[in-house]
Structure formats: C-alpha cells, structure tokens
Amino acid sequence: MYSINKTGGVIVSIVMMILGLLTFLNPFSLGLGLSYIVTAGLGIYGIANIVAYFRVQPAHRNGWTLANGIILSLLSGLMLWTALGNTYGSVQMVSLLAFAMGFLTLLGGIAQIQSFIILRRSSVPGAGWMLAGGIFNLALTLILLINPLAGWIGITMIWGLYLTVSGLSLFAESCSGTRGVYPAI
C-alpha cells in the first residue's frame, strides 16, 4: 500500500514542479490557463449552490444561496463565452478575475489589520506579523486594481513558486520513507 502512495506522491510532486517551473518560462500562458480553470470552477460552484438550494427542505432554504448560485453561474458562463468568442475575450477574463481578486485581497488586508489591533490589545506576541500581512495585502490590492494584467502575471509567478516549492517538499516526503503528519492539537 505504501509503495502506491509513494509512487503517486512522486508523480504528483513531479507534475507540480514542472507546472511551477513552466510558470517562470511563460507566466501569461499558465496564468491564462489557470484563469480558465478558476472561471469554470466558479460556474461549477454556482451550479452546486443552485442544486444545494433545491435539495434542502423548504423551511431551511436560504435565498442567498440560490441568488449566489445564479449570479456565479451566469458570470462564469458570460466570462467563458466572451473569452472563447472574441480575440480579446481572454484578456478581459483575466482582467476581471484580477480585479475581483484585488477586492478580495483588500478585504483580507483590512481583516488582518483589524486582527492585529485585537491581538496587540491582548498583548499576543508576534502580532506584528498580522500587521505585515495586512500591509502586504493592501499593497497587492493597489497593484491588482491599478494594473490587473500585471497583477495577474505576478500572482501567477507566486503560484509557480508555490507549486515548485510544494512539489519539492512532496517529492522529498515521498522519497524519504516517512509520511508527514500533523501533531494533534
């Protein structure tokens, strides 16, 4: 059983490292591919919300689940249709995703700064890291909102670095003969 897991881990780690290294050679192409995957994923998530709404008993249904599902499905379908339907559609799709990611990053940065304030009041050591993360997210927000295409390429490069390092870690774990486990908390 372990040799199957070891072989699978090695194969997955090599694929991760190859994808990560390819990102550095051509970040726009991989970023474009990832944007198609993310957009399709949003559509699937929207459909899942619609299905979930109708599977729940009427007394427990939430109208926001249905609305969210419809909006995500329509937005995903429109983005994919535009991306596949004209010459500049894929650029529009990447720009829209980067712009949306910029607003999500803004909200994350604000939440991290609020958490820093709470942690600082409680005298929690290391709270400065939360502030640093919030400032980093706010800076990333500016990049994504000012120039979404450059921001998307930058994020793609970060994904590439993440895939490469994670693939290398998984490869080392798979070849080491031991399995990484998280201690019980």
Side-chain angles (χ1 to χ4, degrees):
M1 177 71 180
Y2 180 71
S3 64
I4 293 171
N5 289 339
K6 181 177 180 178
T7 304
V10 168
I11 291 170
V12 169
S13 67
I14 290 172
V15 169
M16 288 172 67
M17 287 187 289
I18 289 171
L19 284 174
L21 294 173
L22 286 175
T23 302
F24 297 109
L25 297 175
N26 195 350
F28 190 74
S29 293
L30 189 65
L32 185 61
L34 288 172
S35 66
Y36 278 106
I37 292 169
V38 168
T39 303
L42 287 174
I44 293 169
Y45 181 64
I47 292 169
N49 277 340
I50 293 169
V51 169
Y53 174 81
F54 288 109
R55 284 189 152 182
V56 172
Q57 295 176 359
H60 299 289
R61 288 184 180 164
N62 182 350
W64 289 109
T65 303
L66 180 61
N68 185 42
I70 291 170
I71 290 169
L72 284 175
S73 298
L74 290 175
L75 178 66
S76 173
L78 180 63
M79 286 173 49
L80 287 172
W81 181 52
T82 303
L84 297 171
N86 72 43
T87 307
Y88 300 107
S90 55
V91 174
Q92 292 170 341
M93 178 179 61
V94 168
S95 295
L96 182 61
L97 283 174
F99 200 74
M101 191 177 290
F103 278 108
L104 292 175
T105 306
L106 173 67
L107 295 175
I110 291 170
Q112 286 176 317
I113 291 172
Q114 288 174 335
S115 295
F116 162 75
I117 293 168
I118 292 168
L119 292 173
R120 180 59 80 185
R121 284 185 190 148
S122 302
S123 300
V124 174
W129 287 107
M130 190 65 71
L131 178 63
I135 292 170
F136 177 74
N137 276 332
L138 292 178
L140 182 60
T141 296
L142 288 176
I143 294 169
L144 287 169
L145 294 180
I146 291 171
N147 191 345
L149 287 178
W152 187 260
I153 290 172
I155 288 172
T156 302
M157 297 294 282
I158 293 170
W159 282 340
L161 181 64
Y162 175 78
L163 282 170
T164 303
V165 171
S166 296
L168 188 62
S169 298
L170 180 60
F171 184 79
E173 178 185 341
S174 297
C175 291
S176 71
T178 61
R179 300 178 84 186
V181 294
Y182 294 103
I185 296 177

